[in-house]
Amino acid sequence: MIPYGRQSVDQADIDAVVAVLQSDWLTQGPTIERFEQAMARRCEAAHAVAVCNATAALHIACLAAGLGPGDRLWTSPNTFLASANCGRYCGAEVDFVDIDPLTWNLDANALRLKLVVAESNGTLPKVVVAVAFAGQSCDMQAIAELSERYGFTLIEDASHAVGASYAGRPVGCGEFAAMTVFSFHPVKIITSAEGGMVLTNRPELAERMQRLRSHGMTRDPTQMTEHSHGPWYYQQVELGFNYRITDLQAALGLSQLDKLDGFIARRRELVARYDRLLAGLPLTLPSIQPGAESAWHLYVVRLQRARITPSHRQVFEALREAGVGVNLHYIPVHLQPYYRDLGFADGDFPEAERYYAEAISLPMYPGLSDEQQDYVVEQLRRIIS
């Protein structure tokens, strides 16, 4: 089976993890800070806060933005559950904005229209989570302008977009988003096994997220309610969580970061080959907006169903039967039973629902060989022709 994605781990990565195992610090040690600093430099950001996974990163980013009961979070329906669930963790209401028919990202124009209505009826969002689907940013400049006008905090869920750029700068630089979230899950661009990170240029947000990931504790005398009792002393000043990453994970992530440029280069080679090999088939291929450079976490095609005899499901299952481990990103979040119970229904976000009825994620990872990719294309061509 050729998987849709997988990690690329070499001996340097293994050696980095072993070095930490042989050190004095397995967790809460110096490797975490080195990983944070390296990511911040790479992304041209002032601060980075590493946590156990990107879901935790989204949660503490929302809390740092002040999201709570009575507030609203808006995001794309074409995303993983965590982009919406982070709002529910904070007790906020969640709503969605339909996707752009070309990029399959949250549609900035649809957001603009929805904000006009929300302003008139007093239901403006406190947070908008703009998801960099498949590796390219949304129209972040347009969304940032709306953020200024309507007063919401803009968080970019760039879990797919480590190494991508937008408007000539690295994703994560903070030019448009108050906070940017990365994922280091094994199928992502680089991995720390499990892990996530929030980048920001605002020191007060970084300070709060550092505290939230460690039980709401502080040893900083300036944050305490009374004088220290001694060198052992700490205070819990708010309700936090155990969202810490380990030094083992940080060592793997730091080692992987050294290979990021090579990973991205190979992904772009594979994209160019897919584009060439799939040309002329009854498929809609990915589209990149001007000014964006995708990290290509995913390569998604859409079946032009009027030109294809097999159904969407038949094509998907035939590829799996042929040993091609395709996947589907994503089931629209508003159609999940949990969100249906909150009042969402079929037809609420028609562009996302049309996308779901046609999309298939093809294998995309640096270790995918040209021969394997040729086989993927050969099988897809056979099934849909």
Side-chain angles (χ1 to χ4, degrees):
M1 179 70 73
I2 301 170
Y4 87 89
R6 73 181 309 274
Q7 70 275 10
S8 298
V9 173
D10 64 13
Q11 190 60 47
D13 298 323
I14 296 168
D15 291 343
V17 174
V18 170
V20 170
L21 282 168
Q22 295 173 333
S23 75
D24 294 330
W25 295 92
L26 299 186
T27 189
Q28 296 178 264
T31 308
I32 297 168
E33 187 174 356
R34 288 201 296 270
F35 185 29
E36 292 171 331
Q37 291 172 346
M39 283 298 303
R41 284 194 303 271
R42 170 80 193 208
C43 297
E44 301 175 6
H47 307 280
V49 181
V51 290
C52 54
N53 54 59
T55 302
L58 285 164
H59 186 193
I60 64 170
C62 287
L63 289 171
L67 189 71
D71 296 326
R72 295 168 184 83
L73 177 147
W74 292 1
T75 190
S76 169
N78 182 34
T79 186
F80 186 59
L81 305 170
S83 307
N85 289 350
C86 57
R88 299 297 295 162
Y89 298 157
C90 299
E93 296 179 24
V94 169
D95 202 352
F96 303 93
V97 179
D98 213 349
I99 63 172
D100 185 293
L102 296 178
T103 65
W104 315 330
N105 268 327
L106 184 148
D107 188 327
N109 189 54
L111 174 62
R112 181 180 296 107
L113 296 174
K114 192 177 181 91
L115 287 165
V116 171
V117 175
E119 185 177 42
S120 69
N121 60 25
T123 58
L124 285 170
K126 187 161 191 174
V127 169
V128 170
V129 176
V131 180
F133 175 71
Q136 73 160 320
S137 290
C138 300
D139 186 352
M140 293 298 289
Q141 183 170 352
I143 297 173
E145 290 170 359
L146 294 171
S147 171
E148 288 290 325
R149 178 175 175 181
Y150 290 99
F152 59 81
T153 298
L154 176 55
I155 297 173
E156 182 169 22
D157 181 351
S159 294
H160 293 185
V162 177
S165 65
Y166 174 81
R169 296 194 64 195
V171 170
C173 69
E175 182 173 356
F176 301 107
M179 290 169 277
T180 302
V181 169
F182 288 139
S183 170
F184 308 122
H185 183 275
V187 297
K188 298 301 198 303
I189 309 298
I190 63 172
T191 188
S192 59
E194 284 279 8
M197 193 175 287
V198 191
L199 276 67
T200 184
N201 291 332
R202 293 168 54 180
E204 72 279 9
L205 293 178
E207 183 179 89
R208 180 145 193 239
M209 289 188 290
Q210 288 165 351
R211 195 165 60 238
L212 285 166
R213 74 176 172 187
S214 295
H215 305 280
M217 290 167 44
T218 184
R219 295 181 184 274
D220 182 351
T222 65
Q223 298 178 20
M224 293 183 182
T225 59
E226 60 182 84
H227 292 299
S228 173
H229 299 178
W232 66 86
Y233 194 62
Y234 60 86
Q235 286 187 345
Q236 180 189 344
V237 296
E238 63 180 318
L239 183 63
F241 309 89
N242 185 0
Y243 280 172
R244 293 185 296 248
I245 196 172
T246 69
D247 283 64
L248 297 171
Q249 293 166 307
L252 177 56
L254 191 56
S255 178
Q256 288 263 300
L257 188 57
D258 289 337
K259 295 180 276 291
L260 177 58
D261 289 336
F263 288 165
I264 297 291
R266 177 55 181 163
R267 286 176 180 273
R268 289 177 178 162
E269 287 176 3
L270 291 167
V271 168
R273 294 190 86 249
Y274 268 138
D275 287 349
R276 184 175 69 254
L277 294 169
L278 296 173
L281 294 178
L283 302 168
T284 301
L285 303 185
S287 176
I288 302 299
Q289 65 180 318
E293 293 274 352
S294 179
W296 291 108
H297 165 54
L298 301 173
Y299 188 92
V300 179
V301 298
R302 291 176 66 168
L303 305 180
Q304 296 176 4
R305 292 185 296 164
R307 300 173 57 197
I308 295 172
T309 300
S311 70
H312 184 213
R313 179 169 181 169
Q314 287 171 332
V315 174
F316 189 98
E317 291 181 342
L319 284 165
R320 286 273 182 100
E321 288 169 5
V324 180
V326 290
N327 211 329
L328 204 167
H329 301 86
Y330 288 100
I331 304 167
V333 179
H334 70 285
L335 298 183
Q336 295 291 346
Y338 175 83
Y339 285 94
R340 286 183 185 272
D341 287 346
L342 295 176
F344 295 100
D346 295 88
D348 284 350
F349 304 99
E351 196 60 51
E353 293 170 33
R354 278 191 290 272
Y355 164 88
Y356 172 58
E358 301 169 355
I360 296 178
S361 299
L362 301 182
M364 170 58 70
Y365 53 95
L368 184 71
S369 69
D370 289 359
E371 293 75 20
Q372 288 174 314
Q373 188 180 32
D374 289 343
Y375 177 78
V376 171
V377 172
E378 175 188 335
Q379 294 306 309
L380 180 57
R381 183 187 301 272
R382 175 183 62 81
I383 293 163
I384 66 176
S385 296

